[in-house]
């Protein structure tokens, strides 16, 4: 096999190895980011529940104020009843009292309802804080695990980069430029094998003459359909 072709095949293999590190890095970071996102979500839930409690407490305070005003009004009506002179005034006072009592009942019921809501939300906050505490404890462990994986990936990647540098120092520059031009669009399918007389990049059948040139491996041969660099695997020659 042509030396320059062999170098391009080796380079394509190394480039694939380098590109394969990215998903590994993303996966390792994703584990930590997912755990971090979960803590942020719980923190947001706690903040929202806290704000909701404040709103419910404002409603409760308004009802308590209204209840106080109604109680005062009822007390005033008791005093007024001793001063009533006509039946009409008595009926008017009784009507006011009935309405006030109904409003007192409603206000008390509303205060009880709001207290239950507030209590339920406080319980939710406590449960969320407990979950958050557990997550934060685990977060350090997750981060340490991710850092260990990333360190290992970094070392392995550095080794691959060294192999690439060694190869590039000896590679034919014209062939390298040609390879890089194709790689811009073909990515990790820049150099592909031929199987059953078909390019494994575009999966089109190549002609007998081109196939014969690929088998000889004396020159760099490209697919007439897609332009990728072709070669035949050693065990198929």
């Amino acid at each position: 096999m042509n030396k320059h072709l062999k170098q391009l095949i080796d380079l394509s293999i190394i480039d694939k190895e380098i590109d394969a590190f990215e998903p590994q890095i993303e996966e390792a970071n994703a584990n930590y980011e997912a755990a971090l996102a979960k803590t942020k979500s719980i923190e947001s839930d706690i903040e929202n529940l806290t704000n909701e409690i404040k709103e419910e407490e404002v409603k409760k305070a308004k009802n308590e104020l209204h209840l106080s005003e109604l109680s005062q009004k009822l007390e005033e009506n008791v005093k007024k009843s001793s001063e009533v002179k006509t039946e009409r005034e008595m009926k008017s006072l009784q009507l006011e009292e009935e309405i006030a009592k109904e409003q007192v009942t409603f206000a008390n019921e509303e205060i009880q309802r709001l207290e239950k809501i507030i209590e339920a939300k406080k319980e939710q906050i406590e449960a969320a804080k407990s979950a958050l505490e557990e997550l934060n404890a685990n977060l350090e462990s997750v981060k340490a695990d991710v850092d260990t994986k990333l360190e290992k990936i970094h070392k392995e990647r550095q080794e691959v980069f060294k192999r690439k540098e060694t190869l590039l120092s000896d590679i034919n520059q014209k062939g390298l430029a040609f390879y890089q031009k194709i790689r811009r669009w073909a990515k990790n399918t820049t150099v592909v094998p031929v199987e059953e007389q078909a390019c494994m990049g575009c999966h089109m059948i190549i002609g007998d003459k081109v196939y014969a040139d690929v088998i000889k491996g004396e020159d760099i041969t490209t697919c007439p359909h897609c332009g990728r660099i072709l070669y035949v695997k050693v065990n198929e020659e």
Side-chain angles (χ1 to χ4, degrees):
M1 180 183 286
N2 179 290
K3 175 188 174 183
H4 301 315
L5 174 60
K6 178 67 170 61
Q7 288 175 328
L8 294 184
I9 293 171
D10 291 342
L11 179 59
S12 71
I13 292 170
I14 289 174
D15 279 337
K16 285 178 186 177
E17 288 181 40
I18 292 172
D19 288 349
F21 286 115
E22 285 306 317
Q24 293 179 49
I25 293 170
E26 288 175 8
E27 183 182 356
N29 284 324
N31 292 332
Y32 178 69
E33 287 168 4
L36 192 61
K38 199 166 183 180
T39 62
K40 296 294 182 186
S41 176
I42 293 175
E43 286 172 353
S44 177
D45 288 343
I46 291 172
E47 185 180 354
N48 290 336
L49 285 165
T50 302
N51 290 333
E52 288 170 11
I53 287 173
K54 288 178 182 178
E55 291 173 5
E56 300 300 335
E57 285 177 338
V58 168
K59 293 177 186 176
K60 181 187 171 187
K62 286 180 180 179
N63 276 279
E64 287 173 339
L65 178 62
H66 186 46
L67 189 60
S68 176
E69 291 170 349
L70 288 169
S71 297
Q72 188 177 347
K73 187 175 182 180
L74 286 169
E75 286 175 8
E76 289 172 359
N77 281 356
V78 171
K79 293 177 182 178
K80 286 180 183 179
S81 63
S82 61
E83 300 171 2
V84 170
K85 295 178 181 179
T86 65
E87 187 178 344
R88 183 176 179 182
E89 288 177 345
M90 178 62 75
K91 285 183 178 180
S92 176
L93 198 62
Q94 286 175 344
L95 181 60
E96 283 183 16
E97 188 175 341
E98 286 175 7
I99 292 171
K101 285 180 178 178
E102 285 179 2
Q103 289 177 335
V104 166
T105 300
F106 177 79
N108 278 321
E109 289 176 351
E110 186 64 7
I111 289 169
Q112 289 176 5
R113 186 184 74 84
L114 291 169
E115 284 176 344
K116 286 180 181 178
I117 292 172
I118 291 168
E119 188 59 33
K121 290 185 183 295
K122 284 181 177 179
E123 288 175 2
Q124 285 179 277
I125 287 176
E126 288 306 311
K129 284 181 177 178
S130 177
L132 184 61
E133 189 177 341
E134 186 178 342
L135 275 172
N136 283 330
N138 290 334
L139 198 61
E140 293 182 11
S141 174
V142 172
K143 184 68 169 66
D145 184 48
V146 168
D147 288 344
T148 301
K149 286 180 180 177
L150 289 176
E151 186 179 356
K152 182 183 177 184
I153 291 169
H154 178 69
K155 287 180 180 178
E156 291 175 355
R157 187 164 63 169
Q158 287 302 108
E159 289 299 316
V160 177
F161 274 125
K162 285 179 184 177
R163 283 165 46 206
K164 183 173 181 177
E165 286 175 11
T166 302
L167 180 60
L168 290 177
S169 66
D170 186 49
I171 203 167
N172 176 275
Q173 292 304 301
K174 186 177 179 181
L176 176 61
F178 182 58
Y179 169 88
Q180 290 173 333
K181 182 180 178 181
I182 298 171
R183 183 170 166 76
R184 278 198 288 270
W185 60 268
K187 307 301 179 187
N188 283 326
T189 62
T190 300
V191 182
V192 294
V194 172
E195 296 178 8
E196 296 181 2
Q197 206 168 327
C199 165
M200 288 294 99
C202 64
H203 301 284
M204 297 287 287
I205 298 295
I206 60 175
D208 292 341
K209 184 179 183 306
V210 174
Y211 185 45
D213 290 339
V214 176
I215 292 173
K216 288 178 185 176
E218 294 175 356
D219 295 303
I220 295 173
T221 306
T222 58
C223 174
H225 306 293
C226 66
R228 290 176 172 86
I229 298 169
L230 302 175
Y231 73 97
V232 173
K233 291 179 181 177
V234 174
N235 59 357
E236 292 183 5
E237 290 182 354

